[in-house]
Amino acid sequence: MPLPTRLPGQVDDPDIKATYAADQSIAAPPVGDFTLVRARDLADVVEVLTEAQAHGTPIVPQGARSGRAGGAVAIEGGIVLNVMGLAGVIDLDEVEGIAVCGPGTVTADLKAAAAGQGLFYPPDPASVAYCSVGGNVATNAGGLCCVKYGVTADHVRGLQVVLAGGEVVRTGRRTAKGVAGLDLTGLFVGSEGTLGVVTEVVVALQPAPAAALTALATFDSLDAASRGIVALRRDPHRPSMAELLDAFSIAAVQRLGDYGFPADCAAVLLVQSDRAGHTTQDVQRYAELLAAAGATEVAVADDAAEAEALMAGRRVVSTALEGYGARMVEDVCVPVRRLTELIERCRAVCRTRGVEVAFSGHAGDGNLHPSLFFDAADPVSRERAEAAFGDIVDLALAMGGTITGEHGVGSLKAPWLVRELGESEIRRQQRVKAVFDPAGILNPGRVYPP
Ligand SMILES: Cc1cc2nc3c(=O)[nH]c(=O)nc-3n(C[C@H](O)[C@H](O)[C@H](O)COP(=O)(O)OP(=O)(O)OC[C@H]3O[C@@H](n4cnc5c(N)ncnc54)[C@H](O)[C@@H]3O)c2cc1C
């Protein structure tokens, strides 16, 4: 049924609407029309969700559209409800160790606000400069620091959420402890816009760590780099970062500029320690572990500028790989001990399918992002990449891993959810969804296949 009223914050300009139709995945935007609302405040969100429920109109909650899983892509005839207008840090309590912010706050801005008070908000997705805190909550985003600090869920204390129909609910707490009732905050984190629209986030902050010391280990095989990761995981003091780039990714980054990565190697591991008073000893120990695992060289960044350049290089991997054409970005996660096997089997799959692949990712967590390249103008090439994408997801499951480490299920991986969870578990989860969204208007078809 069409919406009878004009919605608050509605935008009709077709050029603007086109820029809100898709995210950073290969999921195609709709062919037909949709309604775009750029909410300015809580009242806008409430009104849109009230109208949508009354008319059975699908809602796509949307943040910064950096998602990789197709969860923020417009649905034909539906409403894209973008909440980037609800931005800013509303409260920062250094005694309680919390910050309260709007969902449209850019993650880097929240980190900077915490740092301004000598505090630390750990989540650090590679998209930190433009993704939103609300999107991070909705996808339970990971990133570069998870090997030591965990994922977004580990840092969210409470939420304000608007449910389908317009009811505003609060979950969780502001206090350091609290065990009253079920953990609905945990349920909403990672629900990818299928349960409600997050309109406020309470995050826990930590004391600021030491300035990180960075080391770059060079390997002549991905195998040896994977052995290095396993050795690091056994260390009693986890690195605050352990990122992998293969030769393809290194060459792509160095083509953009000199970020300090070596040529003529199979892979590098970028490793950091931020443990106050111990960064030098930690990095020295990591260097010994990595050398024993087969690193041909471990170089410690001499100064902040060198470390910054390496970090900047890590953050531009995605942009650098875009220079090689269309690609599908995988996000599987396997037990860390099986990384080598995952890489070898991915390579075999790509060889068989005739697909070029580059490896990078948060190897310290067993979370890899193989990039599968294809020719966007050639349907056969695309089909081959899609087949390899599916094979790799199947591989991860067969190896005791998961179909998505951090990007989410969205629309792209919805067909695989049943293989990870099983049909009865999906039905149970759909019943939970129905408690919050009885009419099924919130991101329909995403996460749970239609
Ligand atoms: C170059 C690049 C690097 C990346 N690196 C990482 C990384 O290291 N780690 C990682 O985890 N991800 C990474 N991502 C993926 C992406 O940045 C994250 O998934 C991020 O959390 C998405 O935030 P967003 O604001 O862009 O959300 P969007 O893309 O707009 O939305 C993502 C999902 O969240 C839902 N959603 C958004 N806002 C809300 C809200 N307020 N309420 C309810 N639901 C909402 C949407 O419906 C959708 O399902 C990367 C992406 C790119 C392009």
Side-chain angles (χ1 to χ4, degrees), residues 1-217:
M1 192 195 302
L3 288 164
T5 50
R6 191 173 170 75
L7 295 167
Q10 187 168 331
V11 177
D12 296 326
D13 182 321
D15 293 334
I16 297 178
K17 281 173 70 176
T19 65
Y20 286 79
D23 59 13
Q24 290 291 317
S25 71
I26 55 151
V31 180
D33 201 14
F34 65 94
T35 302
L36 171 64
V37 169
R38 290 193 300 200
R40 298 152 300 185
D41 52 26
L42 177 65
D44 285 357
V45 177
V46 168
E47 188 171 337
V48 170
L49 285 172
T50 308
E51 290 292 346
Q53 165 114 323
H55 296 94
T57 310
I59 290 274
V60 178
Q62 195 183 69
R65 312 187 297 285
S66 71
R68 289 288 200 194
V73 175
I75 292 175
E76 192 163 325
I79 301 169
V80 166
L81 178 54
N82 188 287
V83 294
M84 290 306 284
L86 281 70
V89 176
I90 300 156
D91 187 13
L92 201 155
D93 182 335
E94 75 280 14
V95 175
E96 214 53 63
I98 56 167
V100 183
C101 70
T105 310
V106 170
T107 312
D109 293 344
L110 174 58
K111 288 172 82 74
Q117 299 290 325
L119 293 168
F120 180 45
Y121 176 63
D124 189 24
S127 49
V128 65
Y130 43 87
C131 65
S132 74
V133 176
N136 295 168
V137 168
T139 56
N140 193 6
L144 278 58
C145 71
C146 306
V147 62
K148 176 171 176 183
Y149 292 103
V151 295
T152 300
D154 298 311
H155 308 276
V156 178
R157 279 204 193 158
L159 298 171
Q160 181 190 68
V161 183
V162 184
L163 304 182
E167 186 184 353
V168 181
V169 298
R170 281 199 177 272
T171 70
R173 59 200 159 79
R174 289 173 62 110
T175 50
K177 294 164 76 179
V179 292
L182 292 178
D183 178 13
L184 292 189
T185 305
L187 183 63
F188 278 102
V189 176
S191 61
E192 299 186 49
T194 61
L195 299 182
V197 178
V198 174
T199 45
E200 207 173 277
V201 184
V202 183
V203 298
L205 305 175
Q206 302 193 3
L213 192 59
T214 307
L216 184 73

Side-chain angles (χ1 to χ4, degrees), residues 274-296:
D274 65 358
R275 194 162 65 102
H278 298 277
T279 53
T280 308
Q281 294 109 297
D282 281 354
V283 168
Q284 182 56 41
R285 224 176 38 258
Y286 301 156
E288 286 162 16
L289 290 170
L290 294 169
T296 50

Side-chain angles (χ1 to χ4, degrees), residues 194-195 427-440 448:
T194 61
L195 299 182
R427 278 198 297 275
R428 205 173 1 262
Q429 294 199 8
Q430 283 174 320
R431 288 202 295 275
V432 173
K433 173 173 163 65
V435 170
F436 297 95
D437 177 25
Y448 306 104

Side-chain angles (χ1 to χ4, degrees), residues 319-337:
T319 313
L321 291 174
E322 268 158 29
Y324 292 81
R327 68 192 172 113
M328 293 174 201
V329 184
E330 251 303 351
D331 170 44
V332 288
C333 188
V334 295
V336 178
R337 284 173 202 276

